[in-house]
Amino acid sequence: MTRTTTTRLADGRELIYFDDAGSAERPAESLVDRRQLPGRADPGQLRFDALSREWVAVAAHRQSRTHLPPADQYPICPTTPGNLSEIPSADYDVAVFENRFPSLGPAVSEIPATPGWGTAASAVGRCEVVAFTPDHAGSFAGLGWRRTRTVVDAWAHRTAALSALPGIRQVFPFENRGPEIGVTLHHPHGQIYAYPFVTPRAAVLAAAAGEYFAQSDGRATLTSSLLEAERSEGTRMVLEGEHFSAYVPFAARWPLEVHLVPHRQVPDLAALNGMERDELAHLYPELLRRFDALYPTPTPYIAAWYQAPLEPDMRRAGHLHLQLTSPRRAADKLKYLAGSEAAMGAFISDTTPESVAALLRAVAGSETSAAVAGDGASA
Ligand SMILES: [Zn+2]
């Protein structure tokens, strides 16, 4: 079992250590933040865009956030005498803490249910940082199975805890990797946003999922039907495990795009059982390694966990999955979202999903056989 220990940082933010299964009890000094920190800022603002019916977070205070600090002053490295970091321990496995410069929070509450032009609210919610490893260099793909398994437990734990906070409607774990997509800190880490509203993209997917679920009289989710169709058609499959499979979607929007889907319908990561988590800790890094194997340099990506929003009807029809996307379209070329994509949301792809799937099958990483076998428990 992953060992979980919770404490508070100097300004009251929560910090949770997730130590690998079998690790020793945490030393008491790793629970005490010795820094002097100013009190936490008030939340920014949420404003309602009446034209699109979307909430926009106005977080002017984030302009002062840490941006590529010198290598010995990293906030998510383990604490040393010369660098009292956000994680007051000389060592850790995985650590999660509330973002010091959050777009949402620290307060949580309901927001107006019937907003219109001019509606503003406090930017409530919660933003957390997930430090995947104490090692400054490296990447998620190189964590190894045991550490990845601990990250999966951390995601599940935080999903359950954040879902229970007042007013939260959606919990979104994600990783932005690479300076090409605006990463401001290098140390391998991800984030979790807990929103007080259902995000625009999640709302679109939830509407499609809900309609399909109703038409099937509650017998099948849209995601499971798509997975079944992709598996029998076969040309876009990338990986097939016992509990998860991955494919390039029929209408992929990005130059590189893979969806990793659990075979069993679960609304979120917290609902995955032990065997599913074991296999996920193999298959997910395997996908990341294949992204990196395509080109001589690491591939920037966004790894986005689509969990069912917390509305009851969206839970019934929702089906957890990962959408792993990259704007990289060649060794030295990125796709930029311009007029059609950025303004209209209408994507135009220069690659075919079938050719991308063939490439991702061909560059199988070194741990592929173990990944496909899905024998996580024995790893
Ligand atoms: Zn670091």
Side-chain angles (χ1 to χ4, degrees):
M1 291 282 286
T2 299
R3 183 190 288 275
T4 304
T5 314
T6 302
T7 186
R8 295 271 173 189
L9 297 175
D11 57 3
R13 285 175 294 139
E14 203 173 3
L15 166 75
I16 306 119
Y17 290 106
F18 294 90
D19 290 310
D20 294 346
S23 54
E25 195 90 30
R26 279 233 131 245
E29 67 266 22
S30 70
L31 305 182
V32 182
D33 181 4
R34 301 190 186 286
R35 299 172 299 174
Q36 301 280 336
L37 292 179
R40 304 197 64 188
D42 289 330
Q45 209 179 35
L46 285 178
R47 293 189 180 193
F48 189 69
D49 172 14
L51 274 180
S52 63
R53 308 194 61 76
E54 294 174 3
W55 288 99
V56 176
V58 180
H61 60 297
R62 274 171 56 85
Q63 292 295 354
S64 62
R65 72 187 187 275
T66 313
H67 187 87
L68 295 181
D72 61 346
Q73 294 297 323
Y74 256 69
I76 46 188
C77 289
T79 279
T80 61
N83 176 30
L84 300 181
S85 75
E86 292 279 65
I87 303 168
S89 180
D91 197 16
Y92 63 87
D93 293 337
V94 174
V96 178
F97 56 92
E98 289 182 70
N99 195 317
R100 192 171 169 192
F101 304 101
S103 310
L104 303 170
V108 287
S109 71
E110 300 284 339
I111 59 171
T114 54
W117 180 85
T119 303
S122 183
V124 291
R126 182 127 145 179
C127 295
E128 297 186 338
V129 176
V130 183
F132 295 139
T133 164
D135 299 326
H136 188 75
S139 65
F140 194 109
L143 292 180
W145 182 82
R146 171 61 60 192
R147 183 61 45 78
T148 307
R149 183 66 178 75
T150 302
V151 173
V152 172
D153 275 350
W155 283 334
H157 178 283
R158 299 318 300 152
T159 294
L162 295 172
S163 297
L165 292 178
I168 298 303
R169 293 288 186 276
Q170 183 187 340
V171 177
F172 174 44
F174 63 101
E175 182 193 1
N176 299 330
R177 202 282 281 266
E180 296 90 343
I181 48 178
V183 174
T184 56
L185 292 171
H186 288 314
H187 190 125
H189 71 286
Q191 302 181 67
I192 305 176
Y193 274 29
Y195 300 97
F197 52 84
V198 178
T199 61
R201 178 93 175 130
V204 168
L205 268 65
E211 204 168 295
Y212 186 90
F213 194 67
Q215 280 166 5
S216 78
D217 291 322
R219 280 195 296 272
T221 65
L222 179 55
T223 301
S224 56
S225 296
L226 292 183
L227 174 63
E228 204 175 300
E230 291 289 357
R231 291 180 81 185
S232 57
E233 206 276 341
T235 56
R236 287 171 299 277
M237 293 308 295
V238 176
L239 286 173
E240 289 190 75
E242 193 183 338
H243 305 288
F244 281 84
S245 290
Y247 58 86
V248 180
F250 177 71
R253 304 193 306 165
W254 293 90
L256 295 173
E257 177 167 349
V258 174
H259 294 185
L260 177 62
V261 183
H263 298 172
R264 188 170 67 94
Q265 183 204 354
V266 291
D268 58 25
L269 289 155
L272 292 175
N273 64 34
M275 287 186 304
E276 290 163 334
R277 294 181 193 195
D278 287 348
E279 188 178 270
L280 178 58
H282 273 308
L283 294 186
Y284 174 46
E286 169 65 19
L287 281 181
L288 298 178
R289 280 193 291 274
R290 292 190 192 196
F291 265 41
D292 275 352
L294 291 173
Y295 298 108
T297 56
T299 291
Y301 62 77
I302 296 174
W305 283 102
Y306 283 68
Q307 312 203 87
L310 294 157
E311 312 290 346
D313 55 329
M314 295 182 181
R315 304 293 286 173
R316 281 189 291 275
H319 190 136
L320 169 75
H321 66 282
L322 172 81
Q323 295 194 8
L324 177 64
T325 61
S326 174
R328 190 175 209 175
R329 57 192 184 86
D332 57 351
K333 290 195 182 73
L334 295 179
K335 175 183 182 64
Y336 288 97
L337 298 192
S340 187
E341 292 89 356
M344 289 297 138
F347 275 67
I348 295 153
S349 176
D350 321 314
T351 55
T352 66
E354 293 74 23
S355 62
V356 172
L359 281 176
L360 288 169
R361 283 194 300 269
V363 294
S366 54
E367 293 176 43
T368 304
S369 52
V372 173
D375 57 345
S378 62

